[in-house]
Amino acid sequence: MPHANYLITTLLLGLLAGLAGCTKDEDPGGVIPEGYKQSMEKAGNVEQQLQDAADKRLEALDKGE
């Protein structure tokens, strides 16, 4: 029965390794790369500039009526 002991040991080690790989990280910070964050901020700024320009054009059209 020495083979059964090795089989049980191997199965238990495999189970423990699988469970350890599925644990959550305690600190999820830093998941989003800094370059991506900066790109999103820049895109938000550009979007705001476009919205401001569109608002000014609409206001100018309203005054022109």
Side-chain angles (χ1 to χ4, degrees):
M1 287 270 223
H3 295 296
N5 287 338
Y6 291 124
L7 180 62
I8 291 172
T9 303
T10 304
L11 287 174
L12 286 175
L13 286 175
L15 179 63
L16 287 175
L19 290 175
C22 294
T23 60
K24 284 187 169 181
D25 289 337
E26 293 297 323
D27 184 21
V31 173
I32 300 173
E34 189 62 33
Y36 182 76
K37 287 180 187 178
Q38 291 174 355
S39 296
M40 293 303 293
E41 287 175 11
K42 286 180 184 178
N45 292 338
V46 170
E47 182 180 12
Q48 186 60 47
Q49 288 176 351
L50 290 173
Q51 186 63 46
D52 291 342
D55 291 342
K56 285 180 184 178
R57 277 189 235 123
L58 286 175
E59 191 176 307
L61 285 174
D62 287 343
K63 287 181 182 178
E65 289 183 359

